[in-house]
Amino acid sequence: MTRQVKRAFKYRFYPTDEQAAELSRTFGCVRLVYNKALQERTRSWYGEQRRISYAQSSAMLTEWKKTEELAFLNEVSSVPLQQALRHLQAAFTNFFAKRAKYPRFKSRKKSRASAEYTRSAFTWRDGKLTPAKMTEPLDIRWSRPLPDGAEPTTVTVSRDSAGRWFVSLLCQDTPAPAPATTNAVGIDAGITSLVTLSTGEKITNPRHERRDRARLARAQRALSRKAKGSANREKVRRKVARIHARIADRRRDFLHKLTTRLVRENQTVVIEDLTVRSLLKNGRLARAVSDAAWTQLRSMLEYKCAWYGRDLVVIDRFFPSSRLCGACGTVREKLPLNVRTWTCDDCGTTHDRDINAARNILAAGLAAAACGDGVRPQRESSRTRRSSVKQEPQRATAGLPRL
């Protein structure tokens, strides 16, 4: 069954000097409005125990524009400023629902420079996009076409730390369901092998950060020697940012290709609910875990399975996938991370640690799906989160049959 989804299409563009100046001015005004509204809401709560709503923040923005000090806010489009207040409201909603921390102020150097335009603040004509306050359309590099007949409902213009300009077009799309198949696959995430499949295939971790580590270290040392505020420091800072962007782009491209292949080839995909945030607290593994990007891998699998009519099953993180013998069902008491192959004491079967774990994950996922459990669970809360390095206690997942 096909259904419509909101899908963002991101492209790179090259602005003229006038467009770059207008967008930079808009980014600055968006950041100012966000920070000033956050300051007022924080002062009001801690000083008067009074909450400020989005409507009140919008009225405050109108008053700010009337002052001599902030009259320059009238020079940019009002829509990105209103969107900044909506984003702040969403941040507070997530905070009060305990889904996020308290909103933080946006920094000129560290925060993402962006501005969001709704349908009333841009012109879309003959495949050309012209944001408000501009006379010429943006010079966009159309690396892929938009869906037939689709028109953007929201446009987000951004500039990354490397100085590259991007525009993201949010459109309504109807993804075509993937061809029917009965295949199912279990996935065990790792560091040496990024993923090990229940079919026995191991996909090597490209280690994108390690490939550019020496180059990045040289650029960072050069940056540390430059005087703060100098033009040379800004030049080297851009160089460091370009190296980081190169690493992130390669990682994202690899994960997109991998997840698309897994979703196309299998009707059911089973993964573990890993505590990546806890793993990052381990000083020895943090760098490798960050480079593996397991959270990004899972996120891609989630939305691609939803788009193309596949089933994603997530089993409990405490399921002893590595220590469980896939032949007789015996759970080994201990299995250190440096042990990559082991032999079951009961049946004598020799297991490759990762392949055995992937096959156990698949079996547990299929059992959980048949029982109606384990399908796309909610994210962990701070109360249930435990600091561990892929802990695997002896008890099996609640609700899952012992294998």
Side-chain angles (χ1 to χ4, degrees):
M1 182 178 66
T2 60
R3 64 187 183 91
Q4 283 196 337
V5 298
K6 289 185 177 180
R7 187 173 179 180
F9 295 82
K10 189 174 182 180
Y11 304 93
R12 191 171 179 180
F13 75 97
Y14 296 85
T16 63
D17 293 341
E18 293 78 8
Q19 290 173 338
E22 176 63 30
L23 290 172
S24 297
R25 185 161 50 247
T26 303
F27 295 159
C29 292
V30 167
R31 184 177 60 251
L32 172 65
V33 168
Y34 185 95
N35 288 342
K36 194 167 181 61
L38 175 56
Q39 181 181 17
E40 288 298 323
R41 295 181 73 146
T42 303
R43 180 196 59 78
S44 175
W45 174 252
Y46 287 102
E48 308 171 11
Q49 292 295 301
R50 179 174 61 88
R51 290 188 181 183
I52 296 179
S53 65
Y54 163 74
Q56 292 171 319
S57 298
S58 181
M60 292 167 59
L61 174 59
T62 303
E63 295 301 320
W64 295 339
K65 290 182 177 181
K66 295 178 181 178
T67 64
E68 183 178 354
E69 180 184 2
L70 299 176
F72 61 86
L73 294 177
N74 293 290
E75 299 176 3
V76 301
S77 173
S78 62
V79 172
L81 306 184
Q82 292 290 343
Q83 291 299 101
L85 296 180
R86 289 189 175 91
H87 294 163
L88 179 61
Q89 179 63 33
F92 271 103
T93 300
N94 291 331
F95 168 71
F96 289 125
K98 297 183 179 180
R99 292 191 296 265
K101 295 182 179 179
Y102 192 82
R104 295 182 296 179
F105 291 97
K106 292 185 179 294
S107 167
R108 175 186 296 181
K109 294 183 179 180
K110 297 182 180 180
S111 299
R112 176 171 173 261
S114 65
E116 185 175 283
Y117 298 82
T118 57
R119 195 65 185 87
S120 61
F122 65 87
T123 301
W124 176 261
R125 185 177 295 114
D126 298 329
K128 295 183 178 181
L129 176 69
T130 308
K133 301 290 184 177
M134 297 185 189
T135 57
E136 298 180 0
L138 300 180
D139 183 15
I140 301 175
R141 297 296 188 265
W142 299 101
S143 54
R144 55 176 173 167
L146 292 177
D148 293 337
E151 291 191 5
T153 57
T154 304
V155 170
T156 302
V157 181
S158 61
R159 183 186 60 213
D160 67 5
S161 57
R164 302 180 301 176
W165 296 84
F166 296 94
V167 58
S168 180
L169 310 179
L170 186 65
C171 305
Q172 289 286 349
D173 188 22
T174 307
T181 179
T182 58
N183 296 338
V185 66
I187 300 175
D188 178 65
I191 293 178
T192 302
S193 298
L194 181 62
V195 294
T196 301
L197 307 182
S198 55
T199 59
E201 179 183 359
K202 292 187 176 182
I203 299 176
T204 305
N205 186 356
R207 299 180 184 268
H208 299 287
E209 187 271 340
R210 175 179 287 186
R211 292 171 59 185
D212 284 342
R213 186 175 296 176
R215 182 183 177 192
L216 179 61
R218 286 195 299 270
Q220 289 174 329
R221 286 196 297 269
L223 177 64
S224 66
R225 293 193 293 265
K226 299 297 184 287
K228 292 185 177 180
S230 65
N232 282 337
R233 182 180 178 86
E234 175 61 20
K235 186 186 301 183
V236 180
R237 187 201 65 77
R238 287 284 183 92
K239 183 177 181 179
V240 173
R242 284 196 297 269
I243 297 174
H244 279 295
R246 173 190 175 95
I247 295 171
D249 289 346
R250 284 180 168 181
R251 181 187 297 122
R252 190 182 309 110
D253 178 70
F254 180 83
L255 291 178
H256 270 301
K257 292 175 179 177
L258 173 61
T259 53
T260 298
R261 174 202 155 188
L262 292 174
V263 170
R264 283 179 176 173
E265 294 179 354
N266 301 280
Q267 178 62 39
T268 304
V269 180
V270 187
I271 60 175
E272 281 185 296
D273 185 22
L274 295 176
T275 53
V276 177
R277 186 176 300 179
S278 298
L279 292 171
L280 292 176
K281 295 179 182 178
N282 186 307
R284 293 184 175 182
L285 296 178
R287 196 167 192 171
V289 170
S290 297
D291 194 23
W294 293 332
T295 301
Q296 194 174 11
L297 173 70
R298 172 173 172 172
S299 176
M300 290 181 181
L301 286 173
E302 285 181 346
Y303 75 75
K304 289 181 181 181
C305 284
W307 282 358
Y308 301 113
R310 302 308 199 193
D311 299 320
L312 178 67
V313 182
V314 184
I315 68 170
D316 190 275
R317 65 178 64 103
F318 296 114
F319 179 72
S321 57
S322 298
R323 297 186 291 110
L324 177 66
C325 176
C328 67
T330 302
V331 179
R332 182 165 175 164
E333 183 177 356
K334 292 183 180 180
L335 188 65
L337 288 174
N338 63 337
V339 177
R340 308 316 300 174
T341 59
W342 61 280
T343 302
C344 178
D345 295 333
D346 287 5
C347 66
T349 305
T350 300
H351 298 287
D352 179 285
R353 178 195 184 103
D354 297 333
I355 296 177
N356 177 64
R359 289 172 178 169
N360 288 332
I361 289 171
L362 174 61
L366 294 178
C371 298
D373 296 329
V375 181
R376 300 185 66 182
Q378 295 294 323
R379 295 289 184 179
E380 59 185 322
S381 65
S382 58
R383 294 182 180 179
T384 60
R385 187 182 303 124
R386 307 181 187 183
S387 59
S388 63
V389 181
K390 198 179 180 182
Q391 291 183 2
E392 294 175 343
Q394 293 191 23
R395 64 180 180 85
T397 303
L400 292 182
R402 286 188 177 274
L403 303 178

